[in-house]
Amino acid sequence: IFFMLFDIFQIHFVYPPFRVQFISHAVYNFNRNSMKKLKYTLIALLVLCMTGCNESSFLEEDPRASLYPENLLVDYSGFQSMVTSLYGMMRNEYRRADALGGGLPLVLHSAWGCGVDNSWSNNSHSDFKYMYYPSQINQTDLQIFQNIFQWCYRIINTANMVISRAEGSGIDWKGTETEAAAHKNKIIAQARFFRAWAYRHLTYSFGTVPLSTEEITGMNYRNDWERNSVESIREVMEQDFAFAMNNLPLREESNSKISGAMARHYLGELYLAMDQPSKAVEVLKPLAEGSEYSLITNRFGKNSANPGCPFIDVFRTPMYADGNTEVLYAFVNTEPENSAFGTAEVYMKSTYKNYYSNDGVINKSNKYDPDYTSGAATWPQVFWINNGGKGAGRCVPSRGAFRLYNYKDQGTQDDRISDYAVVWTINEKGADGKITEFLNNGKMVVDTTVTAAMLDDNKTTIKKYNWPTTRKWDYVAPLLANGDKDGCYQDIVYLRLADTYLLYAEALLKNNQAGEAIKWINKVRNRSNAVSITETELTAGGVDFILDERSRELLSEEERRHTLIRVSQEKGGDERDVNNYFKRRMRQLNEIAGREARGMNSYDTPVLFPIPQEFIDSNTGRQLVQDEMKCA
């Protein structure tokens, strides 16, 4: 009832785009249909209570709806509830972008994971045309840019409120004096982590943005925001991540909670962005070389009875409780039929897996599936049940990304390019119920053939539906009737130790410790049966080799755009330069978005997102101009 009341009494300080919203679906992501009935029931009960009480006594009470923060943030449990809302907001990165408005059928994460050297957009939509035609990035009114900007500042404003209110007097932090101090610091540490994490997205996405570190109330409203330098914002981020690192355990009891490990990871990345590799080494070392986490190198978990490999097992069973020692953070989900309180879908599967059922040849498969011939299910439902769950073809790997796995002519030896990790074949269930590979005239139907239509710079979309894509996010609905649904409900990986190892290797390399760096790269490579590299090879390849390995290991996981912008801005570098890591690698590896005609050989093509025009127009107290040329 507490959280349902939380949904009824929403508090909005609407100072676009700095808007504080306390919404219970951000806390537990309740199913909105079931919640609607409960809302009306509770409202009726509230009205009944109001009409049945003594009027004079009622008027003397504090107005709960209008002063909700004052009534909530008075003790440890109240602050915990508000921090839970920050967790809810964070998971929106893996929800459909239209969760924030705009009708965008892809996850927010794809804004940074697609339209880069290892991925292009396979579908048409005006808001993500830049993912396959990069010069179109300069549209200031795109909904996806507005959503990212507002989403990050909602997180920042909520975090600022928690941080500010936690310093108030009279708060019951529970327990002894020592315990109370620890509780307070843990709350502040989580809030400061979220604030720095949101600014990480903002600075890599937009460059210079307003820096807000105070709670916004009716008393300090302003419309004269300025774009602060990235250097000044990173100073605050450094302090925030360091506080979180020092006040949260390196390993929490559950990897669905923010830990010191996550703070260390992002602080190490921040030091690399600040050209301080020695500090990055110092911060990342306890995490990489400690015993709390380790790579999964043997089959385990609920997928271990099926054909597979340790690499893909990490994604099928991502929680600590089930034996995963590698995943630093994961989102917990559950199917609607298993929850009485609503659920939270994620859309990584439908975003990063191709829309195979739309291919003119592939949609002739599975016609003899007994569930289809009996009429128990539609053809799309049986097809997706037999092929790892529905994909919608929004973002696909570039051909260059697949080529990277063939380093040193190792072919398909690398588990990360195997049938377990990539869709190379289409499954077909016959009348006998057995699964075989679907072939067309004796040939496999999935391939990386680049057609003339794909290279037509005048086309508004691509829709290459038989292109291979990742199986990291595969999820088969437990009910046949849900076989063709977009969302998925499995526990899902957000950040892994393998990412930390590669970040640590990069820091060591830049700290002139190439011999140490290769140890951590080879740990990642050898886990997937990829051949080892030598110090000579790493030194010759430099940062490009690190970027290659990050692509091989973290395809569709890392915010790839952030990484490429970070290394392109090293030592004051200009991310728009045609010879930097971003544009050069786009031309080398992305056969669609990297085409010269699409802007990747022109300085005039921005790389950072434009500040939303909505914010510029609302900031009437100070004139702001677009400046995508430099990050600082």
Side-chain angles (χ1 to χ4, degrees):
I1 292 176
F2 169 80
F3 288 112
M4 294 168 190
L5 290 173
F6 202 16
D7 201 28
I8 296 170
F9 299 127
Q10 298 180 38
I11 302 172
H12 295 257
F13 299 118
V14 187
Y15 307 135
F18 301 106
R19 184 186 321 170
V20 181
Q21 294 180 305
F22 311 122
I23 307 173
S24 72
H25 74 248
V27 181
Y28 278 120
N29 296 285
F30 284 109
N31 180 286
R32 298 195 65 81
N33 291 329
S34 59
M35 282 296 296
K36 187 174 181 181
K37 296 179 181 179
L38 290 168
K39 279 186 183 180
Y40 291 129
T41 302
L42 285 165
I43 290 173
L45 288 172
L46 285 169
V47 171
L48 180 63
C49 291
M50 290 176 184
T51 56
C53 68
N54 179 281
E55 183 175 349
S56 60
S57 299
F58 175 74
L59 293 175
E60 292 175 1
E61 295 179 4
D62 292 334
R64 299 296 187 188
S66 61
L67 297 176
Y68 199 83
E70 283 73 14
N71 290 285
L72 177 68
L73 300 180
V74 296
D75 58 23
Y76 183 40
S77 61
F79 275 93
Q80 286 178 308
S81 298
M82 191 58 70
V83 168
T84 301
S85 74
L86 286 167
Y87 281 90
M89 293 181 209
M90 180 188 188
R91 69 185 300 127
N92 279 341
E93 182 173 332
Y94 280 6
R95 294 184 66 199
R96 282 176 58 129
D98 58 8
L100 297 176
L104 302 176
L106 77 173
V107 289
L108 276 181
H109 176 277
S110 61
W112 311 293
C114 188
V116 287
D117 59 345
N118 64 5
S119 178
W120 43 267
S121 174
N122 194 34
N123 214 315
S124 62
H125 193 293
S126 59
D127 271 275
F128 50 96
K129 186 175 181 180
Y130 76 90
M131 296 180 189
Y132 63 90
Y133 211 118
S135 62
Q136 301 296 314
I137 197 174
N138 57 3
Q139 301 175 67
T140 62
D141 59 347
L142 292 188
Q143 189 68 47
I144 193 166
F145 298 157
Q146 294 177 23
N147 286 354
I148 292 169
F149 197 78
Q150 292 184 359
W151 169 60
C152 288
Y153 277 110
R154 287 170 187 165
I155 292 172
I156 289 165
N157 290 330
T158 304
N160 284 342
M161 184 188 65
V162 171
I163 295 165
S164 174
R165 300 292 178 100
E167 297 296 347
S169 60
I171 297 171
D172 182 5
W173 289 109
K174 305 296 182 183
T176 65
E177 183 176 348
T178 300
E179 291 170 338
H183 290 162
K184 175 183 176 180
N185 285 339
K186 187 168 186 177
I187 289 293
I188 295 174
Q190 291 174 90
R192 293 185 70 169
F193 172 89
F194 281 114
R195 181 169 68 182
W197 179 85
Y199 271 119
R200 172 181 179 267
H201 278 320
L202 285 168
T203 52
Y204 285 140
S205 298
F206 302 100
T208 56
V209 292
L211 175 62
S212 175
T213 57
E214 297 180 359
E215 178 186 356
I216 294 177
T217 68
M219 302 300 294
N220 63 352
Y221 163 73
R222 55 184 292 195
N223 61 358
D224 61 345
W225 295 96
E226 61 183 340
R227 296 180 70 171
N228 296 85
S229 70
V230 171
E231 287 85 358
S232 63
I233 295 172
R234 284 176 175 166
E235 288 177 4
V236 175
M237 291 171 61
E238 178 185 8
Q239 296 168 12
D240 284 349
F241 280 139
F243 187 89
M245 178 183 73
N246 293 325
N247 287 278
L248 295 173
L250 188 63
R251 180 184 174 107
E252 278 280 8
E253 70 273 15
S254 168
N255 54 348
S256 64
K257 294 184 177 181
I258 301 301
S259 64
M262 291 187 72
R264 280 190 182 276
H265 178 95
Y266 288 121
L267 182 58
E269 180 197 61
L270 179 63
Y271 281 135
L272 286 172
M274 297 168 71
D275 295 319
Q276 298 180 36
S278 61
K279 285 189 175 181
V281 170
E282 180 183 352
V283 164
L284 293 170
K285 184 175 182 177
L287 175 55
E289 300 190 15
S291 59
E292 287 85 352
Y293 301 90
S294 60
L295 294 186
I296 295 295
T297 56
N298 297 303
R299 300 297 310 280
F300 91 108
K302 59 187 177 184
N303 188 57
S304 60
N306 302 319
C309 60
F311 174 73
I312 209 65
D313 286 346
V314 172
F315 297 89
R316 301 293 176 262
T317 312
M319 306 308 298
Y320 287 166
D322 298 318
N324 195 308
T325 59
E326 179 173 341
V327 174
L328 304 185
Y329 189 77
F331 293 125
V332 179
N333 298 294
T334 186
E335 293 84 0
E337 55 270 19
N338 293 334
S339 173
F341 304 105
T343 57
E345 292 176 279
V346 289
Y347 288 84
M348 291 292 280
K349 170 179 59 63
S350 55
T351 295
Y352 282 104
K353 186 170 182 175
N354 214 339
Y355 211 153
Y356 295 104
S357 64
N358 271 13
D359 180 80
V361 172
I362 293 174
N363 63 23
K364 295 179 174 60
S365 70
N366 287 277
K367 297 296 186 180
Y368 297 101
D369 185 311
D371 288 318
Y372 174 64
T373 57
S374 69
T378 65
W379 179 81
Q381 289 168 344
V382 299
F383 175 82
W384 289 117
I385 287 288
N386 295 332
N387 284 278
K390 181 184 178 182
R394 309 302 178 187
C395 305
V396 299
S398 66
R399 189 161 64 166
F402 290 126
R403 190 169 67 245
L404 289 176
Y405 291 98
N406 197 34
Y407 178 69
K408 299 178 74 170
D409 297 321
Q410 65 184 28
T412 58
Q413 175 181 337
D414 193 328
D415 284 337
R416 299 171 297 187
I417 195 69
S418 69
D419 288 337
Y420 307 132
V422 176
V423 178
W424 290 112
T425 60
I426 295 299
N427 292 333
E428 180 172 42
K429 182 183 284 188
D432 57 2
K434 294 182 179 180
I435 298 290
T436 58
E437 179 183 352
F438 174 70
L439 301 172
N440 181 45
N441 295 324
K443 297 179 180 180
M444 61 185 296
V445 293
V446 175
D447 63 39
T448 57
T449 301
V450 177
T451 64
M454 295 168 66
L455 303 179
D456 185 345
D457 297 316
N458 295 314
K459 289 184 72 67
T460 58
T461 188
I462 297 171
K463 298 185 178 180
K464 171 73 171 176
Y465 292 130
N466 65 335
W467 195 266
T469 47
T470 182
R471 295 191 62 200
K472 288 180 178 178
W473 317 113
D474 274 10
Y475 167 79
V476 176
L479 298 180
L480 189 60
N482 293 334
D484 57 348
K485 300 300 182 183
D486 283 337
C488 54
Y489 297 93
Q490 80 269 36
D491 299 335
I492 196 164
V493 172
Y494 185 78
L495 183 66
R496 295 190 289 125
L497 184 66
D499 190 337
T500 306
Y501 279 4
L502 295 177
L503 208 59
Y504 188 41
E506 181 183 342
L508 289 165
L509 177 65
K510 292 176 177 176
N511 204 44
N512 300 313
Q513 296 174 262
E516 284 295 309
I518 60 170
K519 296 178 182 178
W520 301 95
I521 298 173
N522 282 334
K523 283 178 181 289
V524 173
R525 291 181 59 78
N526 296 161
R527 186 265 295 278
S528 293
N529 291 317
V531 296
S532 297
I533 61 165
T534 66
E535 183 174 351
T536 301
E537 291 168 330
L538 176 58
T539 302
V543 172
D544 271 304
F545 187 89
I546 300 286
L547 293 174
D548 290 350
E549 196 59 45
R550 289 186 68 85
S551 178
R552 287 185 279 255
E553 179 71 17
L554 303 171
L555 181 68
S556 79
E557 292 178 74
E558 72 170 323
E559 293 101 349
R560 183 68 170 183
R561 194 175 199 92
H562 291 356
T563 299
L564 293 177
I565 287 175
R566 173 174 62 80
V567 296
S568 294
Q569 292 172 344
E570 282 182 343
K571 303 184 186 305
D574 185 345
E575 74 281 344
R576 287 174 68 154
D577 190 284
V578 297
N579 293 314
N580 67 19
Y581 291 103
F582 194 106
K583 291 184 177 178
R584 174 172 54 81
R585 291 180 64 88
M586 284 282 280
R587 295 193 302 272
Q588 292 172 348
L589 298 173
N590 195 317
E591 65 283 356
I592 304 300
R595 291 176 55 74
E596 183 172 344
R598 300 186 181 185
M600 284 295 95
N601 202 27
S602 171
Y603 184 83
D604 292 334
T605 300
V607 171
L608 296 175
F609 299 156
I611 293 289
Q613 192 64 41
E614 177 185 65
F615 170 62
I616 292 177
D617 293 342
S618 70
N619 200 60
T620 56
R622 183 189 300 269
Q623 184 177 1
L624 296 176
V625 295
Q626 292 292 350
D627 179 17
E628 305 91 356
M629 292 181 64
K630 289 290 293 177
C631 176

